[in-house]
Amino acid sequence: MKYVMTYRAVEDFLPLAQENYPAHSARVEEFARRGDLLMVGTFDEPMNGEAMGVFTTREAAEEFIAGDPFVVNGVVASWAVRPWNEVLQP
């Protein structure tokens, strides 16, 4: 079982996202280094501030969200964490 985090950004998010990106990126790297975050990225077409991440546990996803500068500083309008049953595994 993995856990998928989804983000939806506020309107006109880009300036605020750019301002907070260095700290957000550092948090992404920290959780990836720990092995808690397996993949993360934005959706494209349209680039509207939606993103997702895949975590090894719900606790890791919730910890990430609680301290993510994108959440803390208002880039993210809403988020969710859902359990995901991975079918194709290496």
Side-chain angles (χ1 to χ4, degrees):
M1 178 78 62
K2 306 262 186 333
Y3 293 84
V4 176
M5 168 203 76
T6 55
Y7 278 176
R8 187 178 57 80
V10 297
E11 284 190 43
D12 301 319
F13 68 94
L14 199 52
L16 193 54
Q18 290 171 333
E19 177 184 325
N20 287 280
Y21 183 75
H24 167 76
S25 179
R27 189 155 183 86
V28 165
E29 291 299 323
E30 172 193 348
F31 277 71
R33 212 172 19 257
R34 288 178 8 188
D36 293 326
L37 177 57
L38 303 176
M39 61 182 78
V40 65
T42 58
F43 291 104
D44 208 359
E45 296 181 18
M47 177 61 105
N48 60 3
E50 293 182 16
M52 67 168 278
V54 179
F55 291 82
T56 56
T57 67
R58 176 180 294 279
E59 293 78 17
E62 291 174 349
E63 178 188 351
F64 179 87
I65 292 163
D68 184 5
F70 276 8
V71 174
V72 173
N73 295 316
V75 177
V76 173
S78 64
W79 58 266
V81 176
R82 297 181 60 195
W84 178 55
N85 294 309
E86 183 178 10
V87 175
L88 297 175
Q89 297 182 16

